[in-house]
Structure formats: C-alpha cells, structure tokens
Amino acid sequence: MVRLNKIYTRTGDDGTTGLASGDRRPKYDLRVEAYGTVDETNAVIGLARLHTAAMPALDGMLMRIQNDCFDLGADLATPDTGEVPEYEPLRIVDAQVTRIEEDIDTLNADLEPLRSFVLPGGSEAAAHLHLARTVARRAERLMVELSDREGEIVNPAAIRFVNRLSDFFFVAARWVNDQGRADVLWVPGKNR
C-alpha cells in the first residue's frame, strides 16, 4: 500500500519530477503530461460524482473507473524499458478494458437512439461527464503521441482503456440526461 508521510519533498523545485522507476523527468515531459491529464480526468469524475450519488449503479461504475485511473497513472509513471524490472509494475490489463465495455453496453441499452450530435450539457452530472470525456480524449492523444516517440513504450491495453473511457463518459452523460431524452442536440446552422 502507498504511504505518504510528507506531502512536500522539495525535489521538484528544480522543475523535475520523479517517475515510479526513480528516474527524473522535466515536469513538461510528455509522459508526465499524459499521466497528469489522466489525474485531471479523475478529478473531473470526482466532480461528476457529486451529482450521481442518487444513481448507485452509475456511481459504482464511476468509483471503479476512478480507481482504474490511478492504475493507469501508475502504468504511465512506470516506463517500460524493455528490461525485466526488479518488481512487478502495475499495468492496465485487458479485463479493465472489457469491464468498461460491459458498463458502456449496460448504460447504452437504456438510451434513446441518437438523432444528432449531442451538445455538452443537459444536467449538471451530464455536463461534468462531458468534461471528463474531453479530458480523457486529451489524455488519449498524449498517450498515443508518447507511444510514437522513439524510446518510449506505452502499454497497448492502456491506450485501449483510455479510448473506451471517453466512450463511457459520452454514454454515461446521455444516460443521466433521462436516458438521452433530455440531451441537448446540435442543430446544424441554427444561428446563421
């Protein structure tokens, strides 16, 4: 279990941060940006959960996803160097991807069919879930960019996970909007 006795260490005062491997990277490093954006996604989920307590099935899904987001951050903060590590690093696994897919299917089964693109909003919970969706998409873009960098390896299951994550938030946002009946729909050219 993680144990934090002291919150400030002063080791980051030089503009670097420590990865789980012990390596130091600049705070603007793409890997740090990726797991920082996953952390930002997790914070937005916390905001959404302020409005989902009365929806125990969805709130339980969101709580599991918050925990999985910490797993994802740990995965990204522990670079795969291609060498056998001294310890077993925490990695996202396919079962976590499958679980999100099952949750998406569960929520999607109740939704009205889409007739247009959905504008972010409707209820407070939906607005926060749409925000989580966009932040998760940014995390995905950063992770894919990181995986394209020479010398950087990103767990393929982690990329699948974050891709499904934004899909989950989209479906969940529609679900909290009265199963899609209260969605705010885009009307192309409406204000011309």
Side-chain angles (χ1 to χ4, degrees):
M1 202 59 174
V2 175
R3 198 166 131 181
L4 302 173
N5 292 328
K6 193 169 183 178
I7 299 304
Y8 65 90
T9 62
R10 297 187 176 117
T11 58
D13 291 351
D14 66 352
T16 65
T17 192
L19 300 180
S21 62
D23 295 338
R24 306 278 316 162
R25 298 264 183 112
K27 291 187 177 187
Y28 57 81
D29 183 83
L30 188 56
R31 182 170 292 277
V32 176
E33 190 70 26
Y35 70 70
T37 306
V38 170
D39 187 39
E40 186 180 346
T41 302
N42 208 342
V44 178
I45 298 168
L47 288 172
R49 290 190 65 211
L50 294 173
H51 307 284
T52 61
M55 305 169 212
L58 175 62
D59 198 58
M61 291 174 189
L62 291 170
M63 186 171 65
R64 280 192 306 275
I65 288 170
Q66 281 193 292
N67 198 81
D68 287 347
C69 282
F70 261 86
D71 290 355
L72 178 57
D75 188 330
L76 290 167
T78 311
D80 181 350
T81 62
E83 299 174 11
V84 178
E86 296 177 14
Y87 61 93
E88 184 66 33
L90 184 58
R91 299 284 183 218
I92 292 291
V93 296
D94 285 329
Q96 290 167 294
V97 177
T98 300
R99 181 62 186 250
I100 288 186
E101 290 173 346
E102 291 168 353
D103 289 344
I104 291 168
D105 292 343
T106 297
L107 296 176
N108 201 45
D110 296 334
L111 296 182
E112 293 286 316
L114 271 175
R115 299 179 316 277
S116 180
F117 287 104
V118 176
L119 298 177
S123 66
E124 289 181 72
H128 284 97
L129 289 164
H130 278 294
L131 180 58
R133 173 184 58 79
T134 63
V135 178
R137 281 286 186 219
R138 180 163 27 100
E140 180 184 14
R141 290 189 302 270
L142 292 167
M143 289 169 61
V144 169
E145 182 181 356
L146 179 64
S147 73
D148 283 346
R149 291 241 171 123
E150 189 172 329
E152 294 286 4
I153 299 170
V154 177
N155 174 4
I159 293 175
R160 287 191 298 278
F161 176 85
V162 75
N163 182 266
R164 296 309 180 285
L165 192 58
S166 54
D167 294 336
F168 171 86
F169 293 135
F170 177 75
V171 170
R174 295 198 65 228
W175 190 86
V176 300
N177 273 342
D178 195 23
Q179 283 74 42
R181 290 182 287 276
D183 280 338
V184 180
L185 299 179
W186 173 49
V187 179
K190 178 181 178 182
N191 300 311
R192 286 183 172 184

